[in-house]
Amino acid sequence: LEGKNKKEFLKGAEIAYESILTSFASGDLIKLKALLSPNMFSNFSDAIKSRNKENIKSEFTFIGVKESSVEKYEKIKDNLFATVKFAAEVISVKKDKDNKIIEGNADKIKFVTDSWKFTKNINNKSPNWYLSEIISQ
């Protein structure tokens, strides 16, 4: 993965990153399903269900990706895996059922660093990559 391909890939990864984070915050399962591996999808939808059960609202503003880089690229059998490190700025707030802030700060931009592993099956005609793992820092 190099040169122009790498640039294109990272551009797509950044779009996916923003889309997954904002869809998770708004609870958009349809969008998430198109971007996540089945395993990740069930993790994300469980988290959304439990958040809804506790009446927790997630307010999220994506400011932008400051930088992204491919940390690891590998092929295992018919699957490609690319681990991407993102450094981004977001505003993230969680509120309880009484609209009280329980986490985050609405007036403060937070700097986040994430390593996400994307996967793609080489036999699949679709050009799409799916988020398959979030690697804890």
PDB file of all heavy atoms in Angstrom, residues 110-135:
ATOM      1  N   LYS A 110     -11.615  18.170  22.309  1.00  0.00           N
ATOM      2  CA  LYS A 110     -10.817  17.094  22.867  1.00  0.00           C
ATOM      3  C   LYS A 110      -9.971  16.490  21.749  1.00  0.00           C
ATOM      4  O   LYS A 110     -10.445  16.289  20.632  1.00  0.00           O
ATOM      5  CB  LYS A 110     -11.774  16.035  23.448  1.00  0.00           C
ATOM      6  CG  LYS A 110     -11.098  15.002  24.311  1.00  0.00           C
ATOM      7  CD  LYS A 110     -12.127  14.193  25.095  1.00  0.00           C
ATOM      8  CE  LYS A 110     -12.755  13.134  24.200  1.00  0.00           C
ATOM      9  NZ  LYS A 110     -13.504  12.117  24.943  1.00  0.00           N
ATOM     10  N   PHE A 111      -8.727  16.219  22.052  1.00  0.00           N
ATOM     11  CA  PHE A 111      -7.823  15.615  21.087  1.00  0.00           C
ATOM     12  C   PHE A 111      -7.825  14.108  21.329  1.00  0.00           C
ATOM     13  O   PHE A 111      -7.584  13.672  22.455  1.00  0.00           O
ATOM     14  CB  PHE A 111      -6.422  16.192  21.300  1.00  0.00           C
ATOM     15  CG  PHE A 111      -5.470  15.877  20.181  1.00  0.00           C
ATOM     16  CD1 PHE A 111      -5.615  16.478  18.939  1.00  0.00           C
ATOM     17  CD2 PHE A 111      -4.444  14.962  20.371  1.00  0.00           C
ATOM     18  CE1 PHE A 111      -4.746  16.184  17.901  1.00  0.00           C
ATOM     19  CE2 PHE A 111      -3.570  14.663  19.338  1.00  0.00           C
ATOM     20  CZ  PHE A 111      -3.717  15.279  18.096  1.00  0.00           C
ATOM     21  N   VAL A 112      -8.153  13.328  20.317  1.00  0.00           N
ATOM     22  CA  VAL A 112      -8.190  11.873  20.500  1.00  0.00           C
ATOM     23  C   VAL A 112      -7.250  11.184  19.518  1.00  0.00           C
ATOM     24  O   VAL A 112      -7.047  11.638  18.398  1.00  0.00           O
ATOM     25  CB  VAL A 112      -9.619  11.287  20.329  1.00  0.00           C
ATOM     26  CG1 VAL A 112     -10.524  11.689  21.465  1.00  0.00           C
ATOM     27  CG2 VAL A 112     -10.226  11.677  18.988  1.00  0.00           C
ATOM     28  N   THR A 113      -6.675  10.079  19.983  1.00  0.00           N
ATOM     29  CA  THR A 113      -5.833   9.252  19.126  1.00  0.00           C
ATOM     30  C   THR A 113      -6.399   7.843  19.159  1.00  0.00           C
ATOM     31  O   THR A 113      -6.631   7.295  20.239  1.00  0.00           O
ATOM     32  CB  THR A 113      -4.381   9.232  19.647  1.00  0.00           C
ATOM     33  OG1 THR A 113      -3.959  10.576  19.854  1.00  0.00           O
ATOM     34  CG2 THR A 113      -3.447   8.589  18.647  1.00  0.00           C
ATOM     35  N   ASP A 114      -6.652   7.289  17.989  1.00  0.00           N
ATOM     36  CA  ASP A 114      -7.222   5.946  17.887  1.00  0.00           C
ATOM     37  C   ASP A 114      -6.456   5.125  16.867  1.00  0.00           C
ATOM     38  O   ASP A 114      -6.001   5.658  15.855  1.00  0.00           O
ATOM     39  CB  ASP A 114      -8.677   6.013  17.398  1.00  0.00           C
ATOM     40  CG  ASP A 114      -9.633   6.526  18.462  1.00  0.00           C
ATOM     41  OD1 ASP A 114      -9.540   6.060  19.607  1.00  0.00           O
ATOM     42  OD2 ASP A 114     -10.475   7.380  18.132  1.00  0.00           O
ATOM     43  N   SER A 115      -6.342   3.834  17.137  1.00  0.00           N
ATOM     44  CA  SER A 115      -5.827   2.908  16.130  1.00  0.00           C
ATOM     45  C   SER A 115      -6.950   1.953  15.766  1.00  0.00           C
ATOM     46  O   SER A 115      -7.464   1.229  16.624  1.00  0.00           O
ATOM     47  CB  SER A 115      -4.638   2.113  16.676  1.00  0.00           C
ATOM     48  OG  SER A 115      -3.494   2.902  16.661  1.00  0.00           O
ATOM     49  N   TRP A 116      -7.330   1.988  14.499  1.00  0.00           N
ATOM     50  CA  TRP A 116      -8.431   1.157  14.016  1.00  0.00           C
ATOM     51  C   TRP A 116      -7.920   0.220  12.937  1.00  0.00           C
ATOM     52  O   TRP A 116      -7.170   0.635  12.048  1.00  0.00           O
ATOM     53  CB  TRP A 116      -9.542   2.029  13.422  1.00  0.00           C
ATOM     54  CG  TRP A 116     -10.372   2.731  14.460  1.00  0.00           C
ATOM     55  CD1 TRP A 116     -10.100   2.910  15.770  1.00  0.00           C
ATOM     56  CD2 TRP A 116     -11.648   3.362  14.224  1.00  0.00           C
ATOM     57  NE1 TRP A 116     -11.126   3.620  16.379  1.00  0.00           N
ATOM     58  CE2 TRP A 116     -12.083   3.909  15.451  1.00  0.00           C
ATOM     59  CE3 TRP A 116     -12.447   3.528  13.084  1.00  0.00           C
ATOM     60  CZ2 TRP A 116     -13.284   4.593  15.585  1.00  0.00           C
ATOM     61  CZ3 TRP A 116     -13.642   4.214  13.218  1.00  0.00           C
ATOM     62  CH2 TRP A 116     -14.060   4.730  14.455  1.00  0.00           C
ATOM     63  N   LYS A 117      -8.377  -1.023  13.025  1.00  0.00           N
ATOM     64  CA  LYS A 117      -7.973  -2.010  12.022  1.00  0.00           C
ATOM     65  C   LYS A 117      -9.132  -2.241  11.050  1.00  0.00           C
ATOM     66  O   LYS A 117     -10.237  -2.579  11.464  1.00  0.00           O
ATOM     67  CB  LYS A 117      -7.597  -3.312  12.714  1.00  0.00           C
ATOM     68  CG  LYS A 117      -6.928  -4.324  11.804  1.00  0.00           C
ATOM     69  CD  LYS A 117      -6.723  -5.638  12.537  1.00  0.00           C
ATOM     70  CE  LYS A 117      -5.264  -6.006  12.549  1.00  0.00           C
ATOM     71  NZ  LYS A 117      -5.037  -7.314  13.196  1.00  0.00           N
ATOM     72  N   PHE A 118      -8.846  -2.004   9.774  1.00  0.00           N
ATOM     73  CA  PHE A 118      -9.840  -2.206   8.724  1.00  0.00           C
ATOM     74  C   PHE A 118      -9.512  -3.482   7.961  1.00  0.00           C
ATOM     75  O   PHE A 118      -8.342  -3.859   7.848  1.00  0.00           O
ATOM     76  CB  PHE A 118      -9.836  -1.026   7.744  1.00  0.00           C
ATOM     77  CG  PHE A 118     -10.300   0.273   8.348  1.00  0.00           C
ATOM     78  CD1 PHE A 118      -9.400   1.160   8.912  1.00  0.00           C
ATOM     79  CD2 PHE A 118     -11.654   0.610   8.360  1.00  0.00           C
ATOM     80  CE1 PHE A 118      -9.820   2.364   9.465  1.00  0.00           C
ATOM     81  CE2 PHE A 118     -12.091   1.811   8.916  1.00  0.00           C
ATOM     82  CZ  PHE A 118     -11.169   2.684   9.470  1.00  0.00           C
ATOM     83  N   THR A 119     -10.537  -4.123   7.430  1.00  0.00           N
ATOM     84  CA  THR A 119     -10.316  -5.347   6.674  1.00  0.00           C
ATOM     85  C   THR A 119     -11.117  -5.357   5.386  1.00  0.00           C
ATOM     86  O   THR A 119     -12.129  -4.676   5.255  1.00  0.00           O
ATOM     87  CB  THR A 119     -10.654  -6.593   7.533  1.00  0.00           C
ATOM     88  OG1 THR A 119     -10.280  -7.760   6.803  1.00  0.00           O
ATOM     89  CG2 THR A 119     -12.149  -6.672   7.839  1.00  0.00           C
ATOM     90  N   LYS A 120     -10.624  -6.152   4.446  1.00  0.00           N
ATOM     91  CA  LYS A 120     -11.267  -6.272   3.141  1.00  0.00           C
ATOM     92  C   LYS A 120     -10.911  -7.643   2.594  1.00  0.00           C
ATOM     93  O   LYS A 120      -9.764  -8.075   2.689  1.00  0.00           O
ATOM     94  CB  LYS A 120     -10.700  -5.170   2.254  1.00  0.00           C
ATOM     95  CG  LYS A 120     -11.072  -5.186   0.791  1.00  0.00           C
ATOM     96  CD  LYS A 120     -10.217  -4.114   0.136  1.00  0.00           C
ATOM     97  CE  LYS A 120     -10.425  -3.844  -1.307  1.00  0.00           C
ATOM     98  NZ  LYS A 120     -11.296  -4.547  -2.122  1.00  0.00           N
ATOM     99  N   ASN A 121     -11.923  -8.334   2.065  1.00  0.00           N
ATOM    100  CA  ASN A 121     -11.672  -9.640   1.452  1.00  0.00           C
ATOM    101  C   ASN A 121     -11.294  -9.428  -0.006  1.00  0.00           C
ATOM    102  O   ASN A 121     -11.988  -8.725  -0.732  1.00  0.00           O
ATOM    103  CB  ASN A 121     -12.918 -10.521   1.569  1.00  0.00           C
ATOM    104  CG  ASN A 121     -12.652 -11.926   1.083  1.00  0.00           C
ATOM    105  OD1 ASN A 121     -12.311 -12.153  -0.074  1.00  0.00           O
ATOM    106  ND2 ASN A 121     -12.788 -12.884   1.983  1.00  0.00           N
ATOM    107  N   ILE A 122     -10.187 -10.039  -0.447  1.00  0.00           N
ATOM    108  CA  ILE A 122      -9.712  -9.772  -1.809  1.00  0.00           C
ATOM    109  C   ILE A 122     -10.615 -10.378  -2.880  1.00  0.00           C
ATOM    110  O   ILE A 122     -10.574  -9.976  -4.034  1.00  0.00           O
ATOM    111  CB  ILE A 122      -8.242 -10.227  -2.038  1.00  0.00           C
ATOM    112  CG1 ILE A 122      -8.060 -11.703  -1.701  1.00  0.00           C
ATOM    113  CG2 ILE A 122      -7.276  -9.366  -1.243  1.00  0.00           C
ATOM    114  CD1 ILE A 122      -6.697 -12.243  -2.043  1.00  0.00           C
ATOM    115  N   ASN A 123     -11.453 -11.351  -2.500  1.00  0.00           N
ATOM    116  CA  ASN A 123     -12.362 -11.949  -3.479  1.00  0.00           C
ATOM    117  C   ASN A 123     -13.645 -11.147  -3.647  1.00  0.00           C
ATOM    118  O   ASN A 123     -14.439 -11.418  -4.535  1.00  0.00           O
ATOM    119  CB  ASN A 123     -12.716 -13.384  -3.077  1.00  0.00           C
ATOM    120  CG  ASN A 123     -11.471 -14.232  -2.966  1.00  0.00           C
ATOM    121  OD1 ASN A 123     -10.569 -14.132  -3.792  1.00  0.00           O
ATOM    122  ND2 ASN A 123     -11.396 -15.045  -1.922  1.00  0.00           N
ATOM    123  N   ASN A 124     -13.822 -10.197  -2.744  1.00  0.00           N
ATOM    124  CA  ASN A 124     -15.033  -9.392  -2.788  1.00  0.00           C
ATOM    125  C   ASN A 124     -14.864  -8.271  -3.816  1.00  0.00           C
ATOM    126  O   ASN A 124     -13.879  -7.547  -3.788  1.00  0.00           O
ATOM    127  CB  ASN A 124     -15.272  -8.802  -1.388  1.00  0.00           C
ATOM    128  CG  ASN A 124     -16.682  -8.310  -1.213  1.00  0.00           C
ATOM    129  OD1 ASN A 124     -17.303  -7.815  -2.153  1.00  0.00           O
ATOM    130  ND2 ASN A 124     -17.197  -8.449  -0.003  1.00  0.00           N
ATOM    131  N   LYS A 125     -15.838  -8.162  -4.715  1.00  0.00           N
ATOM    132  CA  LYS A 125     -15.743  -7.135  -5.773  1.00  0.00           C
ATOM    133  C   LYS A 125     -15.866  -5.714  -5.205  1.00  0.00           C
ATOM    134  O   LYS A 125     -15.381  -4.764  -5.781  1.00  0.00           O
ATOM    135  CB  LYS A 125     -16.859  -7.345  -6.806  1.00  0.00           C
ATOM    136  CG  LYS A 125     -16.728  -8.676  -7.542  1.00  0.00           C
ATOM    137  CD  LYS A 125     -16.607  -8.464  -9.048  1.00  0.00           C
ATOM    138  CE  LYS A 125     -16.607  -9.772  -9.815  1.00  0.00           C
ATOM    139  NZ  LYS A 125     -15.594 -10.733  -9.327  1.00  0.00           N
ATOM    140  N   SER A 126     -16.508  -5.615  -4.067  1.00  0.00           N
ATOM    141  CA  SER A 126     -16.708  -4.298  -3.452  1.00  0.00           C
ATOM    142  C   SER A 126     -15.372  -3.695  -3.029  1.00  0.00           C
ATOM    143  O   SER A 126     -14.513  -4.393  -2.489  1.00  0.00           O
ATOM    144  CB  SER A 126     -17.619  -4.458  -2.230  1.00  0.00           C
ATOM    145  OG  SER A 126     -17.404  -3.397  -1.342  1.00  0.00           O
ATOM    146  N   PRO A 127     -15.192  -2.396  -3.259  1.00  0.00           N
ATOM    147  CA  PRO A 127     -13.939  -1.746  -2.862  1.00  0.00           C
ATOM    148  C   PRO A 127     -13.930  -1.387  -1.373  1.00  0.00           C
ATOM    149  O   PRO A 127     -12.936  -0.878  -0.861  1.00  0.00           O
ATOM    150  CB  PRO A 127     -13.928  -0.471  -3.709  1.00  0.00           C
ATOM    151  CG  PRO A 127     -15.379  -0.149  -3.884  1.00  0.00           C
ATOM    152  CD  PRO A 127     -16.109  -1.466  -3.955  1.00  0.00           C
ATOM    153  N   ASN A 128     -15.032  -1.665  -0.687  1.00  0.00           N
ATOM    154  CA  ASN A 128     -15.180  -1.211   0.700  1.00  0.00           C
ATOM    155  C   ASN A 128     -14.320  -1.977   1.693  1.00  0.00           C
ATOM    156  O   ASN A 128     -14.188  -3.190   1.615  1.00  0.00           O
ATOM    157  CB  ASN A 128     -16.644  -1.329   1.144  1.00  0.00           C
ATOM    158  CG  ASN A 128     -17.537  -0.407   0.357  1.00  0.00           C
ATOM    159  OD1 ASN A 128     -17.067   0.383  -0.466  1.00  0.00           O
ATOM    160  ND2 ASN A 128     -18.830  -0.496   0.585  1.00  0.00           N
ATOM    161  N   TRP A 129     -13.801  -1.215   2.630  1.00  0.00           N
ATOM    162  CA  TRP A 129     -13.111  -1.784   3.783  1.00  0.00           C
ATOM    163  C   TRP A 129     -14.076  -1.677   4.960  1.00  0.00           C
ATOM    164  O   TRP A 129     -14.904  -0.783   5.014  1.00  0.00           O
ATOM    165  CB  TRP A 129     -11.853  -0.979   4.095  1.00  0.00           C
ATOM    166  CG  TRP A 129     -10.756  -1.131   3.091  1.00  0.00           C
ATOM    167  CD1 TRP A 129     -10.712  -0.587   1.837  1.00  0.00           C
ATOM    168  CD2 TRP A 129      -9.536  -1.853   3.275  1.00  0.00           C
ATOM    169  NE1 TRP A 129      -9.522  -0.929   1.237  1.00  0.00           N
ATOM    170  CE2 TRP A 129      -8.788  -1.697   2.076  1.00  0.00           C
ATOM    171  CE3 TRP A 129      -8.989  -2.609   4.325  1.00  0.00           C
ATOM    172  CZ2 TRP A 129      -7.521  -2.282   1.918  1.00  0.00           C
ATOM    173  CZ3 TRP A 129      -7.740  -3.162   4.154  1.00  0.00           C
ATOM    174  CH2 TRP A 129      -7.014  -3.014   2.964  1.00  0.00           C
ATOM    175  N   TYR A 130     -13.934  -2.591   5.923  1.00  0.00           N
ATOM    176  CA  TYR A 130     -14.798  -2.583   7.102  1.00  0.00           C
ATOM    177  C   TYR A 130     -13.945  -2.489   8.345  1.00  0.00           C
ATOM    178  O   TYR A 130     -12.866  -3.101   8.425  1.00  0.00           O
ATOM    179  CB  TYR A 130     -15.636  -3.871   7.148  1.00  0.00           C
ATOM    180  CG  TYR A 130     -16.522  -4.013   5.945  1.00  0.00           C
ATOM    181  CD1 TYR A 130     -16.118  -4.752   4.838  1.00  0.00           C
ATOM    182  CD2 TYR A 130     -17.746  -3.353   5.899  1.00  0.00           C
ATOM    183  CE1 TYR A 130     -16.915  -4.841   3.712  1.00  0.00           C
ATOM    184  CE2 TYR A 130     -18.549  -3.446   4.764  1.00  0.00           C
ATOM    185  CZ  TYR A 130     -18.127  -4.183   3.675  1.00  0.00           C
ATOM    186  OH  TYR A 130     -18.925  -4.259   2.565  1.00  0.00           O
ATOM    187  N   LEU A 131     -14.425  -1.746   9.324  1.00  0.00           N
ATOM    188  CA  LEU A 131     -13.715  -1.677  10.597  1.00  0.00           C
ATOM    189  C   LEU A 131     -13.873  -3.014  11.306  1.00  0.00           C
ATOM    190  O   LEU A 131     -14.984  -3.470  11.544  1.00  0.00           O
ATOM    191  CB  LEU A 131     -14.307  -0.552  11.468  1.00  0.00           C
ATOM    192  CG  LEU A 131     -13.750  -0.480  12.890  1.00  0.00           C
ATOM    193  CD1 LEU A 131     -12.261  -0.187  12.914  1.00  0.00           C
ATOM    194  CD2 LEU A 131     -14.502   0.553  13.708  1.00  0.00           C
ATOM    195  N   SER A 132     -12.741  -3.657  11.619  1.00  0.00           N
ATOM    196  CA  SER A 132     -12.822  -4.976  12.238  1.00  0.00           C
ATOM    197  C   SER A 132     -12.330  -4.994  13.689  1.00  0.00           C
ATOM    198  O   SER A 132     -12.614  -5.915  14.428  1.00  0.00           O
ATOM    199  CB  SER A 132     -12.029  -6.008  11.431  1.00  0.00           C
ATOM    200  OG  SER A 132     -10.660  -5.654  11.405  1.00  0.00           O
ATOM    201  N   GLU A 133     -11.590  -3.959  14.062  1.00  0.00           N
ATOM    202  CA  GLU A 133     -11.064  -3.943  15.422  1.00  0.00           C
ATOM    203  C   GLU A 133     -10.662  -2.529  15.833  1.00  0.00           C
ATOM    204  O   GLU A 133     -10.168  -1.767  15.005  1.00  0.00           O
ATOM    205  CB  GLU A 133      -9.817  -4.843  15.473  1.00  0.00           C
ATOM    206  CG  GLU A 133      -9.410  -5.313  16.844  1.00  0.00           C
ATOM    207  CD  GLU A 133      -8.086  -6.104  16.795  1.00  0.00           C
ATOM    208  OE1 GLU A 133      -7.804  -6.762  15.781  1.00  0.00           O
ATOM    209  OE2 GLU A 133      -7.344  -6.002  17.778  1.00  0.00           O
ATOM    210  N   ILE A 134     -10.895  -2.231  17.106  1.00  0.00           N
ATOM    211  CA  ILE A 134     -10.405  -0.967  17.659  1.00  0.00           C
ATOM    212  C   ILE A 134      -9.311  -1.370  18.639  1.00  0.00           C
ATOM    213  O   ILE A 134      -9.553  -2.137  19.567  1.00  0.00           O
ATOM    214  CB  ILE A 134     -11.525  -0.165  18.355  1.00  0.00           C
ATOM    215  CG1 ILE A 134     -12.515   0.332  17.278  1.00  0.00           C
ATOM    216  CG2 ILE A 134     -10.943   1.002  19.148  1.00  0.00           C
ATOM    217  CD1 ILE A 134     -13.699   1.098  17.817  1.00  0.00           C
ATOM    218  N   ILE A 135      -8.108  -0.908  18.370  1.00  0.00           N
ATOM    219  CA  ILE A 135      -6.965  -1.317  19.176  1.00  0.00           C
ATOM    220  C   ILE A 135      -6.761  -0.311  20.294  1.00  0.00           C
ATOM    221  O   ILE A 135      -6.564   0.870  20.037  1.00  0.00           O
ATOM    222  CB  ILE A 135      -5.712  -1.461  18.292  1.00  0.00           C
ATOM    223  CG1 ILE A 135      -5.961  -2.550  17.230  1.00  0.00           C
ATOM    224  CG2 ILE A 135      -4.489  -1.777  19.125  1.00  0.00           C
ATOM    225  CD1 ILE A 135      -5.181  -2.390  15.973  1.00  0.00           C
TER     226      ILE A 135
END
